[in-house]
Amino acid sequence: MHRAASRFVAAAISRPLPACRIAVASQRHLSTGMRIPVIAASRPHARKTQRPIPSSVRTIFIQTENTPNPDALKFLPNHRIIPPDMSTPFIEYLNPRATISPPHPSPLAAKLMNIDGITSVFYGADFITVTKAGDANWAHVRPEIFALITEAITSGETIVNVAERKGDESAAVEEDSLAYNENDSEVVGMIKELLETRIRPAIQEDGGDIEFRGFEDGQVLLKLRGACRTCDSSTVTLKNGIEGMLMHYIEEVQGVKQILDEEEEISLQEFAKFEEKLKQQQKAAEAS
């Protein structure tokens, strides 16, 4: 028998979330934005004089925020990224092919992924998170990211397009995994409500998002996206933050499990093999 949803008292909703953002809050700071004037082209003058920019000239102010992931930066262009009529709360591009393929091709994402060292692009409702390779330098790639985002917004080009997959029209429609579903059990509904109201906002501030994959045998199946997907502190976020809160307020929850894609599982396996090899080399060196 399901417990009544009234177990969510006001105190539960007001309780602060010990998520990744809070656990590593000291790493975050708001950096200086970049104000770039947009000036219409004019005829060259024989005499070069520096003229002040009229106050009526349109400007764009892009802020950047560090995230707990040192290889991910969050860009806030003060402009809507995902159209409000789209049901999906985020879009993630993990390879160049995804930027030109259904269901959501994006010219801007394609250009960003073409920058040497950029590994993924993540769109939130009003922000863009760009993730780089570990050996890439932000000092080299950041100016180009600024330029591409500025060009896309000031030119008025569509940031996200909608394209249907051939032979599978329904695949182009992506729903929010935390959205209400009348077929959900009461426990699942409570899990979704807590994830939506208390956990998702904190993760979005870190330049990411969260996806609900199911509830099986007391385990909540989740997938972290954006900056949180490759963050070293993602395990802390899941166990100390999300799992602790869900287990505290919903007694049916026994734990949280992160769902990994096939590529992510392969990467973890390769990393584990590499670590084991280093340990063996260290033991051999000590023995000699």
Side-chain angles (χ1 to χ4, degrees):
M1 181 178 296
H2 300 303
R3 302 293 191 276
S6 59
R7 280 181 291 173
F8 279 111
V9 294
I13 298 302
S14 62
R15 183 183 178 91
L17 173 65
C20 179
R21 174 174 57 87
I22 298 176
V24 290
S26 60
Q27 298 181 16
R28 292 175 57 83
H29 70 275
L30 181 64
S31 64
T32 305
M34 179 177 289
R35 184 177 293 275
I36 304 175
V38 182
I39 309 174
S42 59
R43 293 178 177 273
H45 297 280
R47 181 181 178 184
K48 295 183 179 180
T49 58
Q50 190 171 10
R51 302 173 62 183
I53 299 174
S55 58
S56 60
V57 172
R58 181 184 176 189
T59 60
I60 175 173
F61 186 71
I62 301 178
Q63 292 179 318
T64 62
E65 288 183 358
N66 288 341
T67 73
N69 184 350
D71 290 328
L73 269 182
K74 181 181 177 183
F75 295 81
L76 299 99
N78 194 27
H79 184 275
R80 183 82 186 189
I81 303 301
I82 298 180
D85 57 343
M86 282 191 179
S87 58
T88 179
F90 62 83
I91 303 172
E92 189 168 28
Y93 303 95
L94 302 179
N95 55 69
R97 183 178 180 82
T99 65
I100 59 175
S101 304
H104 301 303
S106 170
L108 173 59
K111 295 173 184 176
L112 292 172
M113 288 292 290
N114 196 42
I115 300 175
D116 189 27
I118 298 304
T119 59
S120 69
V121 175
F122 179 89
Y123 288 164
D126 57 0
F127 68 89
I128 300 172
T129 299
V130 179
T131 303
K132 68 174 182 64
D135 57 352
N137 192 324
W138 281 121
H140 298 155
V141 301
R142 182 170 163 174
E144 191 169 356
I145 295 173
F146 265 116
L148 290 175
I149 295 176
T150 301
E151 179 185 6
I153 293 176
T154 56
S155 66
E157 76 174 34
T158 303
I159 303 296
V160 180
N161 295 299
V162 177
E164 295 182 350
R165 293 188 177 98
K166 294 182 179 179
D168 188 7
E169 297 183 358
S170 61
V173 180
E174 295 187 358
E175 299 292 338
D176 183 1
S177 64
L178 300 185
Y180 169 78
N181 188 320
E182 60 182 8
N183 296 322
D184 288 339
S185 66
E186 185 177 4
V187 173
V188 170
M190 293 163 61
I191 292 172
K192 285 185 175 182
E193 181 182 356
L194 195 55
L195 290 173
E196 173 69 31
T197 59
R198 298 301 302 156
I199 294 173
R200 169 173 273 175
I203 293 181
Q204 287 177 336
E205 286 196 30
D206 281 340
D209 211 311
I210 191 167
E211 187 177 356
F212 176 73
R213 291 292 187 90
F215 179 62
E216 300 176 358
D217 301 325
Q219 298 292 315
V220 180
L221 309 181
L222 301 174
K223 182 168 182 59
L224 296 177
R225 296 286 193 171
C228 301
R229 186 178 62 86
T230 57
C231 183
D232 292 337
S233 56
S234 61
T235 301
V236 177
T237 302
L238 285 171
K239 294 298 180 182
N240 295 355
I242 301 174
E243 183 179 84
M245 175 169 281
L246 290 176
M247 291 179 64
H248 181 80
Y249 293 116
I250 307 175
E251 63 184 35
E252 290 85 353
V253 174
Q254 300 174 9
V256 170
K257 181 179 179 181
Q258 183 175 8
I259 302 299
L260 300 176
D261 293 333
E262 183 178 355
E263 293 181 358
E264 294 171 332
E265 291 181 349
I266 293 175
S267 297
L268 287 177
Q269 292 173 2
E270 292 298 324
F271 183 73
K273 292 179 181 178
F274 178 71
E275 281 191 323
E276 183 62 27
K277 184 178 180 180
L278 288 179
K279 290 180 181 179
Q280 292 177 357
Q281 291 177 349
Q282 185 177 3
K283 289 181 180 179
E286 292 175 352
S288 61

